[in-house]
Amino acid sequence: MSKYNLFKIKKYKKFVVISFSENNIKADDIYYDLNLLVDDINFDDSIWAVAFDFSNGLNIQNASDNKFILSLTELVMNIKKPTFCAINGQIINRAFEFILPMDYRICSRTSTFVMNQILDPNIQFDGATQLLPRIIGLNKAKEMIMLGVDMNSEDAFNFGLVNLVTSEDKLMNIIVEKLLKIVSFSPLAMQYTKEAINFGNETPTVEGMKMENDLSSILLSSKDRIQAINSFKNKKSKKDFKGK
């Protein structure tokens, strides 16, 4: 995956860590490379999870002409595998929207989150009005979006925007630690779990339960399940999941 000019990609066993080649970048410049990257991640069986490294900060600028809007958030939502991100500094507007679909977010103690496009005046157009209320609650999301109120790292943790707050120097070590844990599980089970949770969050409970049952039924015939059963029966046997 060295064909990307805008991304720096560090490959580990079973997961990748992605950072942007610069911290201040235009949304349109990201879109086409990100589109290719998402496809590569989804179709590469050797990648079980992905992390985005924003430990040096991130600013995504809107295009000067917003008549044709390219959604970065939708591309991130299309990643089938678990997504993590490490956040540092001020995350504002498009960069804020970019991190919302990710599955696990940690930030530094000095991080702040800002959604103030309404002051321009613009409406948020890449998912904030839909995703943020589901994460931090309706009232707090309205306060941030409609009044442009900032959120510090402590409040981000208390309202569920981030999973963990730590010091800047520990961000990536913790992310790698979490990734090593998640790739020790069956990648197929993890992808289906993510799919079931996301589907259920957007549909009535009964429909979500049907999806959960269907995906569980598929897993019953997977080689990974057989591997897990054999490992359980023979406690000395090491799990060696293949994602099949």
Side-chain angles (χ1 to χ4, degrees):
M1 293 190 293
S2 59
K3 56 187 175 183
Y4 306 104
N5 295 321
L6 297 176
F7 299 116
K8 296 179 181 178
I9 302 175
K10 188 172 182 179
K11 184 74 181 287
Y12 294 79
K13 185 178 180 180
K14 299 181 181 178
F15 66 88
V16 293
V17 175
I18 300 166
S19 59
F20 289 121
S21 56
E22 55 186 86
N23 298 331
N24 192 3
I25 196 164
K26 291 182 179 179
D28 287 4
D29 292 337
I30 299 172
Y31 182 84
Y32 295 103
D33 273 0
L34 183 62
N35 198 11
L36 293 173
L37 179 65
V38 170
D39 284 341
D40 283 346
I41 290 170
N42 285 338
F43 289 104
D44 190 336
D45 292 337
S46 70
I47 299 175
W48 294 11
V50 57
F52 288 86
D53 176 6
F54 304 141
S55 58
N56 293 320
L58 176 67
N59 180 38
I60 300 177
Q61 303 174 28
N62 289 333
S64 57
D65 182 1
N66 287 330
K67 292 180 180 179
F68 181 62
I69 298 169
L70 301 172
S71 175
L72 303 179
T73 303
E74 186 177 353
L75 291 180
V76 178
M77 292 175 70
N78 287 338
I79 299 175
K80 297 178 181 179
K81 299 166 186 182
T83 53
F84 292 65
C85 68
I87 302 158
N88 185 41
Q90 186 183 67
I91 302 296
I92 184 170
N93 296 334
R94 290 301 295 275
F96 194 173
E97 290 175 305
F98 188 81
I99 68 169
L100 290 178
M102 297 187 188
D103 302 312
Y104 188 93
R105 296 175 288 271
I106 71 171
C107 73
S108 68
R109 296 188 180 97
T110 57
S111 295
T112 56
F113 302 86
V114 186
M115 190 66 68
N116 64 7
Q117 291 184 96
I118 198 72
L119 305 179
D120 287 343
N122 288 305
I123 186 174
Q124 284 64 33
F125 49 76
D126 202 11
T129 61
Q130 303 305 303
L131 296 176
L132 193 59
R134 299 178 189 183
I135 298 171
I136 68 173
L138 187 63
N139 288 342
K140 191 63 178 178
K142 285 182 176 179
E143 181 183 51
M144 291 193 73
I145 294 173
M146 297 174 70
L147 298 177
V149 175
D150 297 3
M151 179 179 282
N152 61 29
S153 61
E154 181 180 358
D155 285 343
F157 176 75
N158 291 333
F159 279 94
L161 179 60
V162 297
N163 300 82
L164 183 68
V165 179
T166 187
S167 59
E168 181 180 342
D169 61 318
K170 293 181 179 178
L171 279 172
M172 290 313 299
N173 287 339
I174 293 175
I175 283 289
V176 170
E177 177 185 322
K178 299 296 183 183
L179 286 164
L180 287 171
K181 182 174 183 178
I182 207 168
V183 298
S184 69
F185 306 140
S186 163
L188 195 61
M190 194 57 60
Q191 289 179 48
Y192 285 178
T193 297
K194 173 175 177 173
E195 184 175 350
I197 292 172
N198 287 345
F199 182 83
N201 191 48
E202 300 169 359
T203 57
T205 302
V206 172
E207 294 301 316
M209 291 176 67
K210 289 179 180 178
M211 169 66 82
E212 179 186 68
N213 187 266
D214 289 343
L215 294 174
S216 179
S217 298
I218 296 172
L219 286 174
L220 290 176
S221 60
S222 69
K223 293 181 179 179
D224 277 0
R225 180 175 179 271
I226 296 172
Q227 173 65 224
I229 292 173
N230 291 337
S231 178
F232 179 78
K233 289 180 178 178
N234 181 4
K235 297 189 182 299
K236 293 183 179 180
S237 175
K238 185 179 180 181
K239 295 188 182 82
D240 184 22
F241 296 124
K242 302 296 184 182
K244 298 179 181 179

